Protein backbone atom coordinates (compact mmCIF):
# COMPACT_ATOMS: atom_id res chain seq x y z
CA UNK A 1 0.00 0.00 0.00
CA UNK A 2 0.94 3.67 -0.02
CA UNK A 3 2.85 5.28 2.82
CA UNK A 4 1.04 7.99 4.75
CA UNK A 5 3.69 10.56 3.81
CA UNK A 6 3.27 9.77 0.11
CA UNK A 7 -0.48 10.15 0.25
CA UNK A 8 -0.12 13.51 1.98
CA UNK A 9 2.33 14.68 -0.67
CA UNK A 10 0.10 13.55 -3.51
CA UNK A 11 -2.88 15.32 -1.97
CA UNK A 12 -0.73 18.41 -1.63
CA UNK A 13 0.00 18.29 -5.34
CA UNK A 14 -3.70 17.97 -6.14
CA UNK A 15 -4.40 21.58 -5.19
CA UNK A 16 -6.44 23.25 -7.90
CA UNK A 17 -6.85 20.96 -10.84
CA UNK A 18 -3.78 18.88 -9.98
CA UNK A 19 -1.58 21.25 -11.93
CA UNK A 20 1.11 20.90 -9.27
CA UNK A 21 1.46 17.14 -9.54
CA UNK A 22 5.10 16.29 -10.11
CA UNK A 23 6.79 13.36 -11.70
CA UNK A 24 8.83 12.82 -8.53
CA UNK A 25 5.66 11.97 -6.60
CA UNK A 26 4.57 9.66 -9.42
CA UNK A 27 7.88 7.79 -9.30
CA UNK A 28 7.36 7.19 -5.60
CA UNK A 29 3.81 6.02 -6.34
CA UNK A 30 5.24 3.64 -8.92
CA UNK A 31 7.57 2.13 -6.34
CA UNK A 32 4.86 1.67 -3.72
CA UNK A 33 1.83 0.76 -5.83
CA UNK A 34 0.88 -2.71 -6.94
CA UNK A 35 1.58 -3.56 -10.57
CA UNK A 36 -2.12 -3.81 -11.34
CA UNK A 37 -2.74 -0.24 -10.17
CA UNK A 38 0.04 1.66 -11.94
CA UNK A 39 -0.92 2.71 -15.48
CA UNK A 40 1.05 1.00 -18.24
CA UNK A 41 2.65 4.16 -19.57
CA UNK A 42 4.12 4.91 -16.15
CA UNK A 43 5.69 1.47 -15.88
CA UNK A 44 7.29 1.67 -19.32
CA UNK A 45 8.28 5.31 -19.76
CA UNK A 46 10.39 7.76 -17.84
CA UNK A 47 8.21 10.76 -18.55
CA UNK A 48 4.57 11.73 -18.69
CA UNK A 49 2.65 14.59 -20.22
CA UNK A 50 0.73 17.04 -18.04
CA UNK A 51 -2.57 15.30 -18.85
CA UNK A 52 -1.09 11.93 -17.88
CA UNK A 53 0.17 13.42 -14.61
CA UNK A 54 -3.29 14.80 -13.89
CA UNK A 55 -4.83 11.38 -14.52
CA UNK A 56 -2.32 9.66 -12.25
CA UNK A 57 -2.96 12.08 -9.41
CA UNK A 58 -6.68 11.61 -9.82
CA UNK A 59 -6.22 7.83 -9.78
CA UNK A 60 -4.02 7.95 -6.71
CA UNK A 61 -6.49 10.18 -4.91
CA UNK A 62 -9.38 7.93 -5.86
CA UNK A 63 -7.45 4.80 -4.90
CA UNK A 64 -6.32 6.21 -1.57
CA UNK A 65 -9.43 7.95 -0.33
CA UNK A 66 -12.34 6.30 -2.09
CA UNK A 67 -11.93 2.59 -1.70
CA UNK A 68 -15.39 2.03 -0.20
CA UNK A 69 -17.05 0.76 -3.38
CA UNK A 70 -19.57 -1.99 -2.64
CA UNK A 71 -21.93 -4.16 -4.62
CA UNK A 72 -24.54 -1.39 -4.46
CA UNK A 73 -22.41 1.77 -4.52
CA UNK A 74 -19.43 3.02 -6.48
CA UNK A 75 -17.32 6.12 -7.04
CA UNK A 76 -17.33 7.74 -10.45
CA UNK A 77 -13.80 7.84 -11.88
CA UNK A 78 -14.25 10.07 -14.95
CA UNK A 79 -16.74 11.23 -17.59
CA UNK A 80 -16.68 7.91 -19.47
CA UNK A 81 -17.31 6.01 -16.24
CA UNK A 82 -20.28 8.29 -15.47
CA UNK A 83 -21.72 7.74 -18.94
CA UNK A 84 -21.31 3.96 -18.76
CA UNK A 85 -22.39 3.34 -15.17
CA UNK A 86 -25.07 6.01 -14.72
CA UNK A 87 -26.48 7.13 -18.06
CA UNK A 88 -26.50 3.66 -19.68
CA UNK A 89 -27.60 1.76 -16.57
CA UNK A 90 -30.49 -0.68 -16.81
CA UNK A 91 -31.61 0.04 -13.24
CA UNK A 92 -32.25 3.38 -11.49
CA UNK A 93 -29.08 5.07 -10.22
CA UNK A 94 -29.00 7.53 -7.35
CA UNK A 95 -26.12 9.97 -7.79
CA UNK A 96 -24.70 11.63 -4.69
CA UNK A 97 -22.85 14.83 -5.64
CA UNK A 98 -20.63 15.53 -2.63
CA UNK A 99 -17.29 16.95 -1.51
CA UNK A 100 -14.73 15.65 1.00
CA UNK A 101 -14.79 18.91 2.95
CA UNK A 102 -18.61 18.98 3.27
CA UNK A 103 -19.95 18.09 6.72
CA UNK A 104 -23.56 17.42 5.66
CA UNK A 105 -22.24 15.19 2.84
CA UNK A 106 -20.42 13.04 5.40
CA UNK A 107 -23.67 12.64 7.33
CA UNK A 108 -25.87 11.94 4.31
CA UNK A 109 -23.54 9.48 2.54
CA UNK A 110 -23.73 6.58 5.03
CA UNK A 111 -27.51 6.90 5.32
CA UNK A 112 -27.88 6.73 1.54
CA UNK A 113 -25.52 3.76 1.34
CA UNK A 114 -27.47 1.85 4.02
CA UNK A 115 -30.81 2.43 2.33
CA UNK A 116 -29.53 1.54 -1.14
CA UNK A 117 -27.85 -1.62 0.19
CA UNK A 118 -31.17 -2.75 1.70
CA UNK A 119 -32.90 -2.72 -1.72
CA UNK A 120 -31.43 -5.96 -3.18
CA UNK A 121 -29.68 -4.18 -6.08
CA UNK A 122 -32.91 -2.75 -7.48
CA UNK A 123 -31.17 0.62 -7.29
CA UNK A 124 -27.49 1.62 -7.12
CA UNK A 125 -25.64 4.59 -5.65
CA UNK A 126 -23.02 6.50 -7.63
CA UNK A 127 -20.82 8.97 -5.77
CA UNK A 128 -19.47 12.01 -7.61
CA UNK A 129 -16.93 14.23 -5.85
CA UNK A 130 -17.60 17.71 -7.26
CA UNK A 131 -13.99 18.76 -6.65
CA UNK A 132 -12.74 15.90 -8.81
CA UNK A 133 -15.47 16.03 -11.45
CA UNK A 134 -16.47 19.66 -11.77
CA UNK A 135 -17.40 19.19 -15.40
CA UNK A 136 -20.09 16.64 -14.50
CA UNK A 137 -21.35 18.82 -11.65
CA UNK A 138 -21.57 21.85 -13.95
CA UNK A 139 -23.42 19.86 -16.60
CA UNK A 140 -26.13 18.99 -14.06
CA UNK A 141 -26.12 22.50 -12.57
CA UNK A 142 -25.03 21.41 -9.10
CA UNK A 143 -24.96 24.61 -7.04
CA UNK A 144 -24.74 23.12 -3.54
CA UNK A 145 -23.55 19.93 -1.92
CA UNK A 146 -24.86 17.50 -1.07
CA UNK A 147 -27.18 17.21 -4.05
CA UNK A 148 -28.73 13.83 -4.78
CA UNK A 149 -30.25 13.03 -8.17
CA UNK A 150 -32.13 9.99 -9.40
CA UNK A 151 -31.27 8.86 -12.94
CA UNK A 152 -33.46 6.50 -14.88
CA UNK A 153 -32.94 5.62 -18.55
CA UNK A 154 -30.14 8.20 -18.76
CA UNK A 155 -32.21 11.13 -17.51
CA UNK A 156 -32.50 12.90 -14.20
CA UNK A 157 -36.02 12.30 -12.89
CA UNK A 158 -35.88 13.44 -9.25
CA UNK A 159 -33.51 15.23 -6.88
CA UNK A 160 -33.01 16.90 -3.53
CA UNK A 161 -30.40 19.16 -1.93
CA UNK A 162 -29.01 19.12 1.56
CA UNK A 163 -29.03 16.60 4.35
CA UNK A 164 -32.55 15.30 4.87
CA UNK A 165 -33.85 13.07 7.65
CA UNK A 166 -33.73 9.28 7.46
CA UNK A 167 -37.46 8.86 6.75
CA UNK A 168 -37.23 11.05 3.64
CA UNK A 169 -34.07 9.25 2.50
CA UNK A 170 -35.85 5.93 2.92
CA UNK A 171 -38.84 7.16 0.88
CA UNK A 172 -36.57 8.61 -1.86
CA UNK A 173 -34.64 5.32 -2.19
CA UNK A 174 -37.82 3.22 -2.01
CA UNK A 175 -39.43 5.30 -4.77
CA UNK A 176 -36.27 4.89 -6.85
CA UNK A 177 -36.23 1.12 -6.36
CA UNK A 178 -39.93 0.85 -7.24
CA UNK A 179 -39.63 2.94 -10.41
Amino acid sequence: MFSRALLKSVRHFEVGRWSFCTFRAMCQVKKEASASFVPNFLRHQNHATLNERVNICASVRTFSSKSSDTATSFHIQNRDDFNARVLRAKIPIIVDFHAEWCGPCKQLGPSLEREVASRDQKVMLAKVDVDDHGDIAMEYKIMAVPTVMLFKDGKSVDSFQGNIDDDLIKKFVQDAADS
Side-chain angles (χ1 to χ4, degrees):
M1 283 299 165
F2 301 107
S3 70
R4 221 177 255 293
L6 172 65
L7 291 178
K8 286 182 181 177
S9 69
V10 171
R11 285 191 185 119
H12 168 75
F13 293 120
E14 291 174 359
V15 174
R17 292 195 172 261
W18 305 294
S19 58
F20 300 103
C21 183
T22 66
F23 187 68
R24 183 174 181 204
M26 291 186 302
C27 290
Q28 187 64 30
V29 168
K30 179 182 174 185
K31 291 175 188 172
E32 292 189 28
S34 67
S36 63
F37 172 69
V38 177
N40 281 336
F41 74 86
L42 186 57
R43 283 196 295 265
H44 302 298
Q45 295 181 2
N46 292 328
H47 68 281
T49 67
L50 178 59
N51 287 339
E52 291 166 336
R53 287 183 286 198
V54 167
N55 290 336
I56 290 170
C57 285
S59 297
V60 170
R61 183 174 187 187
T62 298
F63 183 78
S64 66
S65 64
K66 299 178 183 170
S67 58
S68 63
D69 287 0
T70 65
T72 57
S73 69
F74 53 91
H75 289 277
I76 296 300
Q77 305 298 315
N78 55 37
R79 167 73 68 183
D80 293 334
D81 189 37
F82 183 84
N83 291 342
R85 296 173 89 178
V86 175
L87 300 182
R88 294 187 203 121
K90 303 287 186 211
I91 63 172
I93 305 291
I94 295 173
V95 179
D96 177 15
F97 290 93
H98 68 280
E100 286 183 34
W101 47 263
C102 171
C105 299
K106 291 178 183 179
Q107 293 173 337
L108 178 66
S111 298
L112 272 173
E113 288 177 22
R114 255 191 320 276
E115 285 303 319
V116 168
S118 70
R119 302 293 177 219
D120 298 324
Q121 295 189 344
K122 292 181 182 176
V123 65
M124 302 265 301
L125 176 65
K127 302 169 196 171
V128 177
D129 189 320
V130 296
D131 291 332
D132 293 342
H133 307 295
D135 57 329
I136 297 171
M138 286 186 346
E139 179 180 342
Y140 291 99
K141 297 176 177 55
I142 303 304
M143 301 302 239
V145 291
T147 295
V148 177
M149 299 178 84
L150 172 62
F151 283 80
K152 186 170 181 191
D153 298 323
K155 296 184 185 199
S156 174
V157 295
D158 198 4
S159 67
F160 67 86
Q161 284 186 343
N163 190 5
I164 61 176
D165 66 25
D166 288 341
D167 291 337
L168 293 174
I169 293 171
K170 187 174 185 175
K171 180 168 178 17
F172 184 84
V173 174
Q174 182 63 46
D175 291 347
D178 293 342
S179 65

